[in-house]
Each structure stands twice: as structure tokens, then as C-alpha cells.
Amino acid sequence: MRKKIVAGNWKMNKTLQEGVALATELKDILAVEKPNCEVVIGTPFIHLATVSELLKDSVIAVSAQNCASKASGAYTGEVSAAMVKSTGAEYVILGHSERREYYNETPEILKEKVDLALENGLKIIFCIGESLAQREANEQEAVCKAELVGSVFHLSPEQWKNIVIAYEPIWAIGTGKTATADQAEEIHAYIRKCVAEVYGAEAAEDTTILYGGSCKASNAPELFAKPDIDGGLIGGASLKAPDFKGIIDAWK
Ligand code: 13P
């Protein structure tokens, strides 16, 4: 059985104190009412150690939002996969469209990050998804497949077990314009088919594929009811505990 996951991506939001307050609130809420899925929060780097310590004995796992494409050395300002791991974080989000677009992260760079994250024992939430122009040209399948081929399909079957895919259509991120459940299911099923072609049907069945893009408590139940949608990667609605909890409750 593949894992159901609701993951928050805080992006560049929350000071350390605000982040600790949010993580504490979530921890307390989920201690009272156990979630029916795995819960992950993706914090900025500077929060990782404190929030990981805070959530050590909780049901919530912690994720970084990025790591360096180099192992160590003279790369001022960068944070390595080993450093992320040493904070107690379990996951790293890689390939987010904002990093591809604003920080010029190419498939080759992402492949290096993926390899380093796995070498250092991190699990990866790997993001893929098309732009509006690509959707309008009906290129969404080709785009998603190319992003998988470019950065993760070189992995061994054993390594693949540490990969979670997040399908995030760029036109749905932060726009309030969610993909319909049918639109999302169609591409999730296609992504699973691509995984099956490389890793086999059983591995594809076990692969968690999240939807991301204006997912909120009101639309999560319909999205998560689809057979190939295994949860969500949540931006805006992960910044307030009750909103995020509302999405987690979609699995109830
Ligand atoms: P929003 O939920 O704010 O649309 O962001 C989605 C996202 O990019 C998560 O990584």
C-alpha cells in the first residue's frame, strides 16, 4: 500500500519564532486528533534544526525545500544535503517550479541534488508540472515525462523507494485556480504509467504521487478521492494550522 501524504511547503514565509509557533500549534492539534496520513512540513533552512527537535516525538516529519548540488566546500551561502540530514529533517523538496524558474535549476542540476540527497539518507519530494502555455499546447504529458527522465529515472529500484512525486501545474500554484480533480487524475495516472515503464507495475503502485496547486480544505476531498492522487503538496494553505488541518482531514 502506498503512503498517503499531506505535505506543507512554507516557501519563504515565517520568521523562526513564527515557524516554531506554527509547528507547535500543528503538533498539539494532531496529538489530539491523529491524522489518517503522513504529515510533512517543509520549512526554510534556518528552521529545520529547531522544528525537527520540536517535532521529534510527533507524527509530523520535517522537510527542507532545497539542498545544494555540491557535497561540500567553497560554495558560499549553500546548504548541503548532509547538513539538512544533520538537522533531523527526513525529506527534501527538489525540482519546485519556483526554483526551476527563478534560480535556473536545470534537470542536470536537479539530478545532482537528487543523488546527493539520497546518498545522505533523505527522502525526496520531487516536483514536476507544466506551465500554462504548455498546458494550452497540450504538452503536459511530455513536460512531466521529460522532467522525470531528466532528474530521477536514472535511479535504481532501491533508490526509487525514497521518491515521492508532486505534480504541480505551474498555472495552479498560488493562483487560486486549481486543476479539476479529473484533470489532475488524468496526469497522475499518466505519471504512474511512466513510473511503471521504468520500475515495473508494483513499484508504480507503491509510488506516492501528490497534487499541488491551490489545494485547500474545500477542494482536497474531491482531489484525494481520485485513485491516483495520494495527497497534496500545499503552499498557502499550509501557513495556518486550521487550514492545513482541514486538508489533512480530507483523508478522514
Ligand atoms: P499553493 O498551494 O499556494 O498554490 O502552492 C502550491 C505549491 O507550490 C506547493 O509546493
Side-chain angles (χ1 to χ4, degrees):
M1 260 296 272
R2 58 184 176 255
K3 266 197 250 175
K4 312 291 184 199
I5 300 176
V6 172
N9 175 7
W10 291 1
K11 307 193 180 181
M12 196 176 74
N13 292 293
K14 306 285 178 192
T15 63
L16 178 59
Q17 291 75 20
E18 290 165 350
V20 166
L22 175 55
T24 305
E25 197 182 346
L26 265 176
K27 179 187 169 185
D28 292 345
I29 294 176
L30 295 180
V32 176
E33 211 183 313
K34 293 263 177 289
N36 274 350
C37 61
E38 186 172 331
V39 176
V40 181
I41 54 176
T43 79
F45 285 133
I46 63 138
H47 300 56
L48 288 175
T50 312
V51 170
S52 294
E53 178 64 26
L54 178 74
L55 298 178
K56 205 169 48 193
D57 300 315
S58 79
V59 295
I60 308 168
V62 177
S63 177
Q65 301 171 16
N66 182 27
C67 70
S69 62
K70 300 283 191 277
S72 66
Y75 302 101
T76 303
E78 287 293 280
V79 175
S80 72
M83 292 173 191
V84 169
K85 180 70 181 180
S86 74
T87 66
E90 271 180 60
Y91 284 89
V92 59
I93 297 169
L94 292 175
H96 196 283
S97 57
E98 288 152 14
R99 297 221 48 97
R100 292 179 193 261
E101 184 180 349
Y102 307 140
Y103 303 98
N104 306 313
E105 293 194 357
T106 62
E108 295 72 31
I109 292 171
L110 289 169
K111 188 176 179 184
E112 287 167 6
K113 295 187 176 199
V114 163
D115 289 343
L116 284 165
L118 292 177
E119 273 170 36
N120 285 283
L122 292 166
K123 291 183 268 191
I124 298 171
I125 299 175
F126 190 75
C127 305
I128 59 176
E130 80 286 355
S131 66
L132 183 59
Q134 289 165 332
R135 166 67 61 165
E136 283 169 349
N138 201 29
E139 289 168 0
Q140 60 273 16
E141 291 189 352
V143 169
C144 288
K145 187 169 189 175
E147 290 180 339
L148 292 168
V149 169
S151 307
V152 288
F153 273 177
H154 66 288
L155 297 173
S156 72
E158 204 45 42
Q159 288 176 312
W160 183 260
K161 293 179 185 159
N162 296 302
I163 303 293
V164 170
I165 301 294
Y167 168 66
E168 298 207 310
I170 298 167
W171 47 272
I173 296 177
T175 58
K177 200 175 153 198
T178 327
T180 65
D182 286 338
Q183 267 175 332
E185 169 58 21
E186 190 180 19
I187 189 113
H188 278 233
Y190 172 76
I191 292 163
R192 200 177 303 285
K193 191 176 111 209
C194 292
V195 175
E197 281 164 11
V198 179
Y199 296 103
E202 198 179 321
E205 265 309 303
D206 288 344
T207 300
T208 298
I209 307 178
L210 308 180
Y211 168 79
S214 299
C215 185
K216 40 189 186 282
S218 58
N219 57 30
E222 196 188 345
L223 286 159
F224 297 178
K226 293 292 181 187
D228 289 296
I229 302 181
D230 307 313
L233 180 56
I234 319 299
S238 72
L239 297 174
K240 287 191 183 135
D243 294 351
F244 194 50
K245 169 71 165 39
I247 299 172
I248 292 166
D249 285 347
W251 283 122
K252 297 228 147 129

